[in-house]
Amino acid sequence: MREQMISLRNMCLIYDEERILVQEKKDDGKQGLVFPGGPVLEGESLTESVKRDIKEETGLNIYNPQPCGYKDWIQEDGTRCIVMLYKTNQFDGYLKSSGEGRVFWLNRKCVDEANWIRNTQELMEVFESEQYSEFFQTYQNGQYSDGVLLG
């Protein structure tokens, strides 16, 4: 049996009928929008991790996060990175930014024109479509591929 190292992360689409919650981050010197989330800590369930990360990064408490797919890629060192994708429209609390970046509500009408980091916009297809469940990228020679949607 062949085993590989795995890095587990989460990301969550928090939404209402007109808006989605986004986070403005800097990644490899690029500034743009992503969905909030973070690493799964040792001993933590996947659901607990997404609730904790969202609270830390946005100030919001989320309820009933629904798994809706994943993003994954294999790094040059062979580690497979898996980002569990969740979504929820059940939340409360007061929105506040963190050291991870400024968080704000983005009107759904502005999604196509927004300044997304890497392939984050493509994740909307996984979050909101029943056609796709995975976004897979390769990482070679210090660069990410465009990635493919799989279902």
Side-chain angles (χ1 to χ4, degrees):
M1 171 156 80
R2 185 174 171 177
E3 295 182 9
Q4 67 184 135
M5 295 295 297
I6 295 177
S7 172
L8 287 175
R9 301 184 64 77
N10 63 63
M11 188 175 278
C12 190
L13 173 68
I14 303 166
Y15 66 96
D16 62 24
E17 288 185 25
E18 297 178 9
R19 309 171 300 170
I20 60 174
L21 188 66
V22 295
Q23 185 174 53
E24 188 172 45
K25 289 185 107 165
K26 288 185 178 178
D27 186 23
D28 297 326
K30 299 176 188 171
Q31 188 167 339
L33 303 180
V34 296
F35 299 104
V40 177
L41 302 179
E42 185 175 338
E44 190 174 48
S45 77
L46 298 174
T47 302
E48 287 172 339
S49 76
V50 73
K51 289 179 176 182
R52 175 191 49 76
D53 280 320
I54 297 306
K55 179 68 173 177
E56 290 174 359
E57 293 187 12
T58 72
L60 299 179
N61 298 301
I62 61 170
Y63 305 98
N64 199 25
Q66 295 299 303
C68 55
Y70 48 94
K71 173 183 178 180
D72 64 316
W73 67 94
I74 301 170
Q75 294 181 330
E76 285 185 308
D77 69 0
T79 301
R80 178 177 289 265
C81 296
I82 300 174
V83 181
M84 305 298 298
L85 302 178
Y86 291 86
K87 64 182 177 180
T88 186
N89 62 356
Q90 299 173 33
F91 55 89
D92 65 19
Y94 298 98
L95 195 61
K96 68 175 184 162
S97 297
S98 72
E100 295 289 324
R102 181 174 73 99
V103 290
F104 63 95
W105 292 104
L106 178 68
N107 190 299
R108 286 181 176 271
K109 294 177 186 176
C110 300
V111 166
D112 291 337
E113 295 84 36
N115 179 31
W116 299 99
I117 288 182
R118 284 201 302 267
N119 302 99
T120 305
Q121 185 175 4
E122 284 83 349
L123 294 180
M124 288 295 290
E125 292 289 331
V126 179
F127 282 125
E128 296 194 313
S129 164
E130 293 191 22
Q131 182 178 358
Y132 301 110
S133 60
E134 178 182 7
F135 182 81
F136 180 73
Q137 289 182 282
T138 58
Y139 184 77
Q140 295 177 333
N141 302 319
Q143 293 188 335
Y144 290 95
S145 68
D146 289 338
V148 293
L149 288 164
L150 303 168

